[in-house]
Amino acid sequence: MIVTVQQHILHDQKQFPGASGEFSWLLSGITLATKMVQARVRRAGLSDILGDAGDTNVQGEVQQKLDVYANEAMMHCLSARGSIGVLASEENEHPRLTAHCSPEAHYAVIFDPLDGSSNIDVNVSVGTTFSILRRPEGADCDDPEQWLLQPGKKQVAAGYVVYGSSTILVYSVGLGVHGFTLDPSVGAFILSHPNIKMPAKGKYYSVNEAYRDDFPPGYNPFIDRLRKGELGTKYASRYIGSMVADFHRTLLKGGIFLYPPTADHADGKLRLLYEANPIAFLAEQAGGIATSGSRRVLDIQPTSIHQRTPLIVGGTTEMTEFIRHVRHED
Ligand code: AHG
Ligand code: MN
Ligand code: MN
């Protein structure tokens, strides 16, 4: 049986009394935007050469960089959804209030429109991440930060799209993690990976080892133990440099992904709200674990919308070992 993402969401939202279609309408804004982005990604490298009249001549617009385009696609598609009151993008300094912030606006949507953008020019996978929070009781429309500064455990849904060898949407509303592959011939995301569970143990670790001299104590001995087979098998390394793609592999194949604190980024490079929280939510829903190195990512109370956090995420075997051997406080 063919199940589209829309059918799946309609079914899932029956678990939320009162959601009555608003959630599926919201998510349809995300699926529409990501289909637009993937269409652009698929033409990356061509559009400058073949750019049709609409792209350049007639409107006199220069070809937009893909991360700007992706941001505008998300903003445009989500602004039209009445159930969304606040939009926050990694690309914008300030959160945006949707025009119709009203009592019916029940959600804030937070996203990284294009993750891994340094990979676009070299045909390597990139992605989009998103996180959905419920409007806190009594939150006003003129105070968007109140909507956004909630710990990740409050997310009502989270997900990502990887624009890879195919385009895949992975999402969770807290009822397991499900993957939908875009069938480009019909333009629909079709359920291809129901109820994803992260393997308890994998074969790969994923970290930018160029920074290893700057890692805090404990990280390198831990990585060495993986390499030397002290967890039973010798691990190999994989690092794409697109967090979504590195996490997607870790979700399906197991293992561990680490972005530790470094000399340039004392708090790690990844952003808590746009990147770490949705990934941590999906990891836990799939049976994995995500920590900042000192605490569960989903417990961190954000104090600013662009704050960063170290992120270490993976299957139970690697993560239990990490927590036991590398600095941890909770
Ligand atoms: P973005 O493209 O949204 O700025 O994010 C890039 C991030 C993330 O995708 C990846 O894990 C990390 O940058 C790679 O950074 P390094 O090159 O420092 O390893
Ligand atoms: Mn990113
Ligand atoms: Mn980005």
Side-chain angles (χ1 to χ4, degrees), residues 67 90-91 112-120 125-127 129 207-211 239-246 257-259 262 264-265 269-271 274-275 308:
D67 41 11
E90 189 194 76
E91 295 289 328
D112 177 359
L114 206 71
D115 178 66
S117 43
S118 69
N119 281 318
I120 295 166
S125 301
V126 291
T129 57
V207 65
N208 191 334
E209 288 193 283
Y211 308 140
Y239 189 73
I240 296 168
S242 287
M243 179 202 64
V244 269
D246 278 314
F257 169 85
L258 310 94
Y259 205 111
T262 62
D264 284 349
H265 295 106
K269 180 181 179 191
L270 301 173
R271 313 273 188 157
Y274 314 98
E275 296 171 319
R308 299 174 195 266

Side-chain angles (χ1 to χ4, degrees), residues 1-47:
M1 189 177 70
I2 293 174
V3 178
T4 66
V5 70
Q6 288 308 326
Q7 287 172 294
H8 204 271
I9 293 164
L10 281 167
H11 178 266
D12 268 359
Q13 79 180 0
K14 290 199 184 113
Q15 318 281 331
F16 296 98
S20 67
E22 65 176 6
F23 209 62
S24 63
W25 178 232
L26 184 165
L27 279 158
S28 75
I30 294 175
T31 55
L32 175 59
T34 56
K35 282 188 225 174
M36 291 166 64
V37 175
Q38 78 86 32
R40 270 298 166 101
V41 169
R42 300 294 168 218
R43 296 186 76 237
L46 280 177
S47 40

Side-chain angles (χ1 to χ4, degrees), residues 30-279:
I30 294 175
T31 55
L32 175 59
T34 56
K35 282 188 225 174
M36 291 166 64
V37 175
Q38 78 86 32
R40 270 298 166 101
V41 169
R42 300 294 168 218
R43 296 186 76 237
L46 280 177
S47 40
D48 283 344
I49 303 165
L50 304 175
D52 59 31
D55 278 339
T56 49
N57 302 342
V58 171
Q59 297 176 28
E61 290 172 348
V62 233
Q63 188 68 41
Q64 287 179 317
K65 288 194 66 161
L66 263 168
D67 41 11
V68 175
Y69 178 80
N71 193 37
E72 287 180 358
M74 290 289 279
M75 285 290 177
H76 179 83
C77 293
L78 293 173
S79 296
R81 301 299 192 259
S83 62
I84 303 175
V86 173
L87 291 169
S89 165
E90 189 194 76
E91 295 289 328
N92 296 115
E93 193 182 342
H94 300 292
R96 183 182 294 183
L97 291 168
T98 56
H100 38 65
C101 181
S102 70
E104 282 69 53
H106 294 142
Y107 301 100
V109 181
I110 301 170
F111 55 89
D112 177 359
L114 206 71
D115 178 66
S117 43
S118 69
N119 281 318
I120 295 166
D121 293 346
V122 290
N123 282 50
V124 174
S125 301
V126 291
T128 298
T129 57
F130 60 90
S131 159
I132 302 174
L133 291 165
R134 207 184 299 283
R135 176 185 197 159
E137 199 68 35
D140 300 336
C141 286
D142 52 17
D143 185 9
E145 292 209 339
Q146 204 188 338
W147 299 50
L148 300 169
L149 298 181
Q150 304 186 54
K153 63 186 168 199
K154 299 271 186 165
Q155 290 171 103
V156 289
Y160 61 77
V161 175
V162 181
Y163 313 106
S165 44
S166 61
T167 298
I168 186 166
L169 167 77
V170 174
Y171 93 103
S172 176
V173 294
L175 300 168
V177 179
H178 309 285
F180 302 81
T181 302
L182 183 69
D183 181 338
S185 59
V186 294
F189 283 107
I190 309 287
L191 181 63
S192 52
H193 295 68
N195 211 15
I196 301 171
K197 290 290 171 212
M198 200 182 283
K201 184 177 181 315
K203 294 190 292 193
Y204 304 122
Y205 67 88
S206 185
V207 65
N208 191 334
E209 288 193 283
Y211 308 140
R212 62 175 284 140
D213 294 343
D214 301 330
F215 293 164
Y219 279 79
N220 289 327
F222 167 73
I223 293 166
D224 289 344
R225 298 188 67 224
L226 299 180
R227 284 195 304 115
K228 291 178 180 164
E230 290 180 22
L231 267 62
T233 47
K234 290 188 175 179
Y235 281 65
S237 105
R238 294 283 187 278
Y239 189 73
I240 296 168
S242 287
M243 179 202 64
V244 269
D246 278 314
F247 176 72
H248 187 61
R249 181 195 56 253
T250 308
L251 178 68
L252 296 185
K253 301 285 187 194
I256 186 167
F257 169 85
L258 310 94
Y259 205 111
T262 62
D264 284 349
H265 295 106
D267 294 321
K269 180 181 179 191
L270 301 173
R271 313 273 188 157
L272 175 62
L273 266 57
Y274 314 98
E275 296 171 319
N277 271 343
I279 293 301

